[in-house]
Amino acid sequence: MALKPATNPDVEAATIELSLDGRIVTAKDGVSLYDVIASTGNIVPAMCYHYTFDPFGSCGVCLVMVEGKKAPVRSCTAKATAGMVVRTEGDDLFQARKKAVEKHLSVHPLDCPVCDADGHCELQDMAFQHQVTTLANAKQKLIPEDTRSLVLDFNMNRCIACGECINVCKDVLMIDALQFMKKDGFTQVVAKGDVALSCEFCGDCLAVCPVGAITNKYSKYLYKPWQLKKTTTTCNYCGDGCQMYIETKDNEVVRVTSPLSWKNKWGDRAETAKGHGGICVRGRFGFQYIDSKARLRQPLVRRDGNLVETPWLETIHTVVERLAAIKAQHGPEAIGGLITARCSNEELYLFQKFMRAAIGTNQLDSSARYGHLNFVHAVQHALGIGRMMNDWEDITKAKTILLVGTNITETNPLTAVRVKEAIRVYKSQVIVVDSAQTNIATLASHPMLVAPGTEGLFIQGLVKSVLEQDLVDEEATSKHPQAFTALKQAASRVPLDVIAAHTGVPVEQIHQAAAIFAEAPRAIILCGEGIVRRTGGYRHVLNLVDLAWITGKLGRPGCGVNTITEEPNEQGAADMGALPECFPGQARFDDAGAREKFEKAWGAALPAAGRGSSLMEMLKRCQSGHIKALYVIGENPLATLPSSVGVRAALENLELLICQDPFLTETAQLAHIVLPACTYAEKDGTFTNLEGKVLRIRQTMDPIGESLPDWHIMTAIANGLGYELPYESAQDIQNEIMKLLPGYYNLGQPRKISPKSESYLANGYAAEVRNRYRSDLKRKPASGGTARRSFTLLMGQVLYHSGKLSTQASGLIKILPNTGRLHMNARDLEQMGLGEGARVRVTSPKGSLELGVQADLTVLPGSCFFPEHFNEPQVKDLMPVEVDADTGVPYFKLAEVTIEKL
Ligand code: SF4
Ligand code: SF4
Ligand code: SF4
Ligand code: FES
């Protein structure tokens, strides 16, 4: 697809003049005439046009008169040329457009009373607008509905063959799952090959379908559009922070829709660089957990070994009494807290304030500890910024994108769409370094498949290659000669051919990737779980900073080092100080100035500098009996961490385990007190997405049962403990944050940040870099044999799920239930004589279990994969755990195993 330059300032084209309804307008040569007309604010009726993809020209509604042409022309596919004289109004045009609408209606079933699009249908609107009052010629097509897809039904009687569904899927999403096919005498939309649709199930085709030809299985026949209450909010699944509409009826979520819609077809094409308005399968079809029957509806207090429903007042009283007693007897350090990064900024802020000021302890942590903090700490340390440097627009317009260790289509599907637009529209060179055959690797210009766990080593290879090929940016490196010498010395310790042997990528390909990256004027690095959640994550991010530095990409517009966040508010967790090492604003906890500021603001003496425990330390302290009470908000360490960590023993050793969660999680089942919390749909607040944008979440519905927002519960407990928190709404908390962190609430716009590497490179870098370049791989390569072989076992995220939360969403479980099977490469299955579903024994140094196998095209030979969302069977317990010495991040996503055929 070619970019429509009409609205894109980055595409060069001659400026021309043409006459529109007697007015002279300027435009870029060769662009869609429809775009030129629309850019003047004149909206000509159009049914198959959508600004996110190139015109298709099928509906015949967007007619205009062009001087010199006998008949009206379709303005969407007509190109603007110099001197064109165009008329957009007139009875002749009205009648011609009316005829086109009548033609569509003549083969449309008019089953509006039972159509989901009734009242929200472009064909209805067009018929009304053009006063189509006679439908005498209507013919029925009587095509049976295609219900083979898991989430979408295709009613081709209603289809007007506009092609929007096909075009959005092919052009915008680069998935290309749909096609037109002549069937039973009619042109119909079918899944490619006329099979049951099997795709990413983003539902963007549903969103742009102007009629009711594609319907949502999960909400069909449940509503009429005018019965729905529509609330704009931010998705709660991943850090992309997509804007969406939750639509409810009688306090039940009926459907989730997106800004991308046929209703919203007249945008500015250049603006899609910031996002096309779509959402992914999780956002659109994963809403059922919100009002699920499994939601906790009342507080539970353990009595005689059982969790018993108890009124709120009594429960809060018990919580306060028991926390106060433990604090009085053992001191504040006997209490710790954990919070999920699915909470809002206001709640994350309040949590750390609660722990530090109301309890008086600095033993607190969030789920950002599972990886994101490696990135935050590394770029904070090196560059003085604690988040990614680029936004979606920078990614879209990059000339080179280096994706390392990120299956981005699956973890952050809408950031992936930015990479796809970079490939498709801006012709970006994309280097994908991963140990799986990911979707983005298949689209990339330079896919580099590496051995599992060697993504970090590959980065060292890139740095070495830049040095060896002399691709160094003199201006950047000459300012810090000492640091540069130290880097060269450090890098010289690992020969490139050793890196090539370990990673499995030939030296020439490493050189090629390094050259493409170094020579690009706008080059973006995006790293993911393969870096931040794997051994050495912190160090590898610093190596990425080295790469950006020596190639002159630090601080240059459109360049930078970035990561993706898997949970919606991991960045907010870091920014709000929900970690022992930082106060809000990422001020160091031992910084005297910050301490004074927050002590004054909170009116409390804070725990001493140097004190505090993060997640893994806290679990140890629970086990040793130093921590007696743990307050867990939305976290579920028992289901997340391998059993060798001893989470169960740690939790069982507690005098008081308080779990605050929308669900009775595995951890909550061990709790003494369970507090029912609202989901994001039942409260107000904000999330900070991976770009650093602060985005609103808005209350969509009344809380389920007696559940309460997390901030509300914390406020009640603090007040009971005698530490006054005078908040009556999330806004009150926000007002306090605004005073303490001026400028944080940019609402919608990422704050501009610029990396500052001077101090890092001038002070201590030389000593520090010495140990960063090393090949510390101890792993054995996969070995032969047919009955018993060595493999690398990986755990990770899949597209249709997010953490454990999505497993509560029946819609996503329907799309991807837990098969309980190990994913393996077909070649390995064949070599071991294993058929689909065959049983194997998987053994690691941590244990052994039996499970079935399934073929997976994305898994490389010698490795195997299990989705981290499921604990049946307990594959996580096979994983060894290592804790990062610099950041306390626990690594447990990779294990060396043997697989035996049973
Ligand atoms: S749901 Fe998404 S991926 Fe599937 S056909 Fe529709 S647009 Fe394509
Ligand atoms: S299914 Fe909808 S979007 Fe697709 S061609 Fe038919 S009417 Fe257009
Ligand atoms: S899961 Fe992520 S990509 Fe999908 S809709 Fe939600 S925020 Fe967007
Ligand atoms: S909008 Fe131009 S032909 Fe459909």
Side-chain angles (χ1 to χ4, degrees):
M1 166 182 157
L3 177 68
K4 291 185 282 181
T7 49
N8 198 314
D10 292 343
V11 172
E12 286 181 15
T15 300
I16 53 160
E17 285 189 343
L18 62 159
S19 160
L20 288 185
D21 296 323
R23 219 156 43 101
I24 300 298
V25 298
T26 55
K28 284 187 179 172
D29 192 19
V31 304
S32 156
L33 184 54
Y34 189 92
D35 282 343
V36 181
I37 299 168
S39 69
T40 66
N42 179 3
I43 298 300
V44 171
M47 289 190 71
C48 65
Y49 171 89
H50 200 287
Y51 80 103
T52 57
F53 43 82
D54 269 2
F56 188 57
S58 69
C59 74
V61 177
C62 63
L63 301 170
V64 295
M65 291 305 297
V66 175
E67 206 172 78
K69 304 269 180 204
K70 285 199 186 109
V73 301
R74 294 171 189 219
S75 59
C76 65
T77 44
K79 287 194 163 125
T81 51
M84 219 175 199
V85 178
V86 182
R87 176 165 59 81
T88 67
E89 308 288 343
D91 190 55
D92 54 341
L93 284 172
F94 182 84
Q95 293 305 332
R97 291 172 192 155
K98 181 175 177 176
K99 233 184 213 159
V101 177
E102 278 173 340
K103 203 168 141 226
H104 289 301
L105 275 168
S106 70
V107 283
H108 197 81
L110 298 183
D111 57 350
C112 309
V114 290
C115 176
D116 277 6
D118 184 23
H120 186 88
C121 167
E122 194 165 34
L123 190 54
Q124 281 183 352
D125 292 355
M126 287 291 159
F128 180 76
Q129 198 179 327
H130 292 91
Q131 296 157 21
V132 179
T133 50
T134 157
L135 302 165
N137 298 329
K139 274 188 257 121
Q140 295 289 336
K141 291 189 262 186
L142 301 176
I143 302 170
E145 194 171 17
D146 180 353
T147 58
R148 289 173 293 176
S149 152
L150 288 170
V151 295
L152 300 171
D153 285 340
F154 291 79
N155 185 331
M156 287 300 112
N157 297 298
R158 298 176 186 151
C159 177
I160 59 163
C162 68
E164 288 196 54
C165 54
I166 296 171
N167 290 330
V168 77
C169 189
K170 182 166 174 253
D171 285 352
V172 180
L173 306 163
M174 292 179 89
I175 297 170
D176 200 12
L178 300 171
Q179 67 171 106
F180 278 127
M181 182 180 261
K182 194 97 173 165
K183 258 175 82 176
D184 306 325
F186 297 102
T187 300
Q188 303 184 33
V189 175
V190 293
K192 279 258 160 111
D194 194 20
V195 292
L197 180 64
S198 163
C199 61
E200 292 185 14
F201 293 125
C202 64
D204 276 3
C205 52
L206 164 75
V208 296
C209 179
V211 294
I214 305 181
T215 49
N216 180 343
K217 262 197 164 87
Y218 298 167
S219 52
K220 201 168 169 183
Y221 303 140
L222 291 182
Y223 66 94
K224 286 283 163 190
W226 53 88
Q227 297 171 323
L228 298 176
K229 184 184 134 208
K230 184 171 173 178
T231 310
T232 307
T233 193
T234 305
C235 177
N236 187 40
Y237 276 123
C238 86
D240 286 358
C242 296
Q243 296 303 284
M244 55 167 52
Y245 311 119
I246 299 186
E247 303 197 41
T248 53
K249 187 180 155 204
D250 305 330
N251 215 44
E252 270 180 35
V253 184
V254 173
R255 64 176 184 177
V256 172
T257 50
S258 57
L260 177 80
S261 156
W262 63 265
K263 283 247 176 204
N264 181 10
K265 57 169 64 177
W266 298 281
D268 179 345
R269 185 62 182 77
E271 291 291 301
T272 62
K274 296 178 186 158
H276 78 293
I279 51 180
C280 82
V281 57
R282 301 189 293 254
R284 200 183 298 275
F285 297 114
F287 56 83
Q288 304 81 359
Y289 77 91
I290 296 170
D291 45 18
S292 140
K293 292 219 168 4
R295 281 283 305 274
L296 287 167
R297 284 167 161 73
Q298 256 221 284
L300 306 170
V301 176
R302 192 170 293 280
R303 293 204 180 91
D304 301 325
N306 299 316
L307 286 168
V308 180
E309 288 195 348
T310 308
W312 263 115
L313 212 60
E314 191 185 329
T315 309
I316 291 290
H317 186 72
T318 310
V319 169
V320 167
E321 207 175 59
R322 294 185 67 179
L323 278 177
I326 289 173
K327 186 175 165 183
Q329 199 182 343
H330 305 284
E333 305 249 313
I335 302 173
L338 283 177
I339 190 165
T340 174
R342 291 192 200 276
C343 278
S344 67
N345 283 320
E346 295 68 26
E347 290 166 338
L348 288 155
Y349 167 84
L350 185 58
F351 166 73
Q352 58 81 39
K353 178 175 173 181
F354 173 88
M355 295 305 296
R356 287 168 171 152
I359 301 285
T361 180
N362 193 34
Q363 301 184 116
L364 59 109
D365 214 345
S366 78
S367 49
R369 182 71 57 192
Y370 287 119
H372 185 54
L373 287 182
N374 269 334
F375 184 84
V376 170
H377 285 317
V379 293
Q380 182 64 264
H381 170 64
L383 308 170
I385 50 171
R387 66 162 164 93
M388 63 185 245
M389 298 165 209
N390 301 103
D391 58 15
W392 272 7
E393 188 169 8
D394 283 345
I395 295 172
T396 312
K397 294 182 176 173
K399 284 286 160 215
T400 293
I401 304 173
L402 171 63
L403 291 160
V404 198
T406 170
N407 189 350
I408 197 167
T409 317
E410 309 242 341
T411 59
N412 296 68
L414 270 292
T415 302
V417 176
R418 295 300 91 233
V419 178
K420 291 176 186 178
E421 183 161 332
I423 295 172
R424 179 175 46 86
V425 177
Y426 293 88
K427 310 296 171 219
S428 178
Q429 305 245 56
V430 174
I431 305 158
V432 173
V433 182
D434 209 290
S435 57
Q437 184 64 54
T438 61
N439 162 269
I440 209 72
T442 61
L443 300 172
S445 56
H446 295 82
M448 311 256 158
L449 281 168
V450 295
T454 64
E455 289 87 347
L457 187 61
F458 189 88
I459 300 166
Q460 297 186 37
L462 290 177
V463 172
K464 279 194 71 71
S465 172
V466 167
L467 296 171
E468 283 184 17
Q469 293 189 83
D470 199 14
L471 296 164
V472 169
D473 183 286
E474 294 291 336
E475 201 189 324
T477 50
S478 60
K479 284 188 207 148
H480 298 282
Q482 257 188 331
F484 188 50
T485 306
L487 173 64
K488 281 194 285 190
Q489 275 169 3
S492 68
R493 289 168 47 189
V494 194
L496 209 44
D497 53 350
V498 170
I499 294 175
H502 275 36
T503 58
V505 180
V507 171
E508 309 77 65
Q509 275 187 38
I510 300 176
H511 280 326
Q512 193 188 14
I516 291 166
F517 181 82
E519 285 163 5
R522 290 197 308 275
I524 298 261
I525 297 170
L526 257 176
C527 68
E529 66 283 1
I531 292 297
V532 297
R533 291 179 187 237
R534 301 260 177 83
T535 304
Y538 174 76
R539 167 161 74 83
H540 296 320
V541 176
L542 288 176
N543 292 349
L544 283 172
V545 172
D546 287 345
L547 178 66
W549 166 46
I550 61 171
T551 53
K553 308 290 191 256
L554 280 183
R556 189 186 285 176
C559 297
V561 185
N562 304 278
T563 190
I564 40 105
T565 49
E566 288 193 17
E567 288 185 335
N569 208 14
E570 288 178 47
Q571 189 57 44
D575 295 344
M576 293 298 122
L579 63 167
E581 53 269 48
C582 290
F583 280 120
Q586 294 189 21
R588 299 299 303 179
F589 185 70
D590 46 18
D591 179 274
R595 168 174 303 277
E596 197 188 322
K597 167 175 152 177
F598 288 107
E599 276 190 338
K600 201 164 145 214
W602 298 339
L606 298 177
R611 305 300 286 260
S613 317
S614 59
L615 169 70
M616 301 305 278
E617 293 157 348
M618 262 193 279
L619 290 171
K620 267 195 199 149
R621 288 176 65 79
C622 292
Q623 233 173 348
S624 66
H626 289 93
I627 291 182
K628 310 267 180 215
L630 194 65
Y631 183 20
V632 181
I633 304 178
E635 258 306 286
N636 188 4
L638 189 61
T640 306
L641 288 161
S643 63
S644 61
V645 170
V647 186
R648 179 174 289 277
L651 299 180
E652 283 177 350
N653 206 26
L654 289 166
E655 277 177 31
L656 177 63
L657 174 60
I658 306 164
C659 280
Q660 185 170 305
D661 204 287
F663 295 95
L664 192 67
T665 61
E666 289 85 343
T667 303
Q669 286 168 33
L670 295 182
H672 301 96
I673 296 171
V674 181
L675 307 171
C678 289
T679 64
Y680 80 119
E682 299 144 87
K683 63 191 178 190
D684 291 326
T686 57
F687 289 153
T688 302
N689 83 340
L690 46 68
E691 295 167 281
K693 275 188 195 161
V694 181
L695 302 159
R696 279 199 186 285
I697 51 168
R698 293 183 178 84
Q699 183 173 359
T700 302
M701 54 196 279
D702 296 335
I704 295 290
E706 291 188 20
S707 63
L708 289 170
D710 290 294
W711 67 263
H712 191 133
I713 307 172
M714 284 186 270
T715 301
I717 300 173
N719 289 338
L721 285 168
Y723 180 76
E724 219 43 47
L725 289 177
Y727 312 125
E728 286 178 10
S729 66
Q731 185 62 51
D732 289 345
I733 307 169
Q734 198 181 114
N735 293 343
E736 183 173 315
I737 301 171
M738 281 161 98
K739 280 193 207 135
L740 290 165
L741 304 178
Y744 190 79
Y745 282 95
N746 50 67
L747 291 174
Q749 279 311 308
R751 283 165 300 135
K752 288 285 167 216
I753 48 170
S754 47
K756 291 184 183 58
S757 55
E758 301 305 309
S759 148
Y760 167 65
L761 293 170
N763 305 309
Y765 174 89
E768 186 189 288
V769 75
R770 214 170 286 145
N771 295 322
R772 255 201 284 118
Y773 283 77
R774 58 178 198 248
S775 164
D776 45 11
L777 289 179
K778 296 178 204 85
R779 295 181 311 99
K780 304 175 284 297
S783 63
T786 50
R788 189 168 192 276
R789 293 180 58 189
S790 308
F791 283 84
T792 304
L793 167 64
L794 300 167
M795 285 189 79
Q797 199 186 325
V798 297
L799 172 66
Y800 306 108
H801 286 284
S802 169
K804 304 278 183 285
L805 181 66
S806 60
T807 62
Q808 299 285 354
S810 56
L812 296 176
I813 285 293
K814 184 177 163 200
I815 296 171
L816 191 80
N818 180 17
T819 61
R821 290 181 180 175
L822 188 67
H823 300 220
M824 291 177 67
N825 183 277
R827 200 186 75 191
D828 287 332
L829 289 179
E830 197 191 323
Q831 283 178 355
M832 293 184 73
L834 297 165
E836 194 77 9
R839 305 286 294 172
V840 293
R841 177 185 302 284
V842 184
T843 307
S844 84
K846 294 290 170 193
S848 171
L849 56 82
E850 291 178 19
L851 74 173
V853 294
Q854 68 184 64
D856 186 333
L857 290 174
T858 67
V859 175
L860 291 191
S863 59
C864 51
F865 174 83
F866 195 80
E868 65 185 16
H869 318 283
F870 304 116
N871 276 341
E872 198 47 57
Q874 297 265 1
V875 175
K876 74 172 174 61
D877 293 342
L878 298 179
M879 314 309 270
V881 184
E882 197 183 322
V883 180
D884 194 292
D886 291 298
T887 58
V889 168
Y891 302 118
F892 54 95
K893 301 288 179 190
L894 185 148
E896 295 308 316
V897 297
T898 56
I899 297 181
E900 277 170 83
K901 184 179 173 182
L902 290 178

